[in-house]
Amino acid sequence: MEVAEIKVSYSNTNPDRVQVTNSQKIFEVIMKHWDLDILEYQEQMKVILLNRANIVLGIYEMSKGGISGTVVDIRIILGVALKCNASAIILVHNHPSGKLVPSEPDKAITKRLKEACNLLEVYLLDHLIISRFGYYSFADEGTL
């Protein structure tokens, strides 16, 4: 009987590692890794993976959706975090409308993800909603 082999790997040879210490730094980092041509056209979700010192291990492109939503699968997010041996994550998505107000689904997924992260001791440090000109930080607003 044949059984598929599973491989788990992570490699980071980038000597210019970035440490994030606040939401402004997170916004600066993520904007360098976002396709600005579709920022106001298509909603996307990305996950920033961090080590214990809040140094960015990498950015995972979770999903691309439509004008008003995208898929957020908690199992995939946590699977990626575990594969990368991440100690913390930051969720980031854009609102093509430019409005930086979290929707009820934004609030609900943040709550569910935080609960799931706590079970695995992977910390959800923040969830940013971004636009071309600014961001909303769940952590800064005390809603995380």
Side-chain angles (χ1 to χ4, degrees):
M1 179 188 306
E2 292 288 325
V3 177
E5 179 181 349
I6 296 175
K7 293 181 181 181
V8 177
S9 67
Y10 170 77
S11 175
N12 185 352
T13 57
N14 183 0
D16 300 325
R17 300 179 84 171
V18 177
Q19 182 178 36
V20 294
T21 54
N22 57 50
S23 59
Q24 179 62 41
K25 185 67 173 180
I26 297 165
F27 181 65
E28 290 168 9
V29 168
I30 201 67
M31 289 303 279
K32 291 178 183 175
H33 297 275
W34 210 281
D35 182 351
L36 298 180
D37 291 336
I38 63 171
L39 186 67
E40 296 171 340
Y41 176 73
Q42 183 178 24
E43 191 163 320
Q44 292 181 284
M45 177 69 67
K46 296 186 183 195
V47 180
I48 302 174
L49 303 137
L50 305 122
N51 70 11
R52 290 192 56 79
N54 291 344
I55 293 173
V56 175
L57 298 171
I59 299 172
Y60 177 72
E61 294 192 18
M62 174 66 208
S63 62
K64 289 183 181 181
I67 295 170
S68 62
T70 192
V71 174
V72 181
D73 191 319
I74 291 173
R75 293 172 299 172
I76 292 175
I77 292 171
L78 291 176
V80 169
L82 293 172
K83 288 175 190 173
C84 295
N85 203 27
S87 295
I89 60 171
I90 298 167
L91 200 61
V92 184
H93 81 282
N94 65 311
H95 279 175
S97 68
K99 293 187 178 185
L100 298 175
V101 178
S103 66
E104 288 306 315
D106 292 340
K107 294 174 188 176
I109 197 65
T110 303
K111 182 177 186 243
R112 287 181 48 226
L113 181 58
K114 183 175 181 178
E115 291 168 356
C117 283
N118 287 343
L119 290 173
L120 298 175
E121 296 181 13
V122 173
Y123 301 99
L124 177 61
L125 297 182
D126 207 342
H127 177 177
L128 262 60
I129 300 170
I130 65 168
S131 75
R132 185 178 299 276
F133 304 107
Y135 64 92
Y136 174 94
S137 163
F138 279 72
D140 289 357
E141 297 300 323
T143 55
L144 184 61

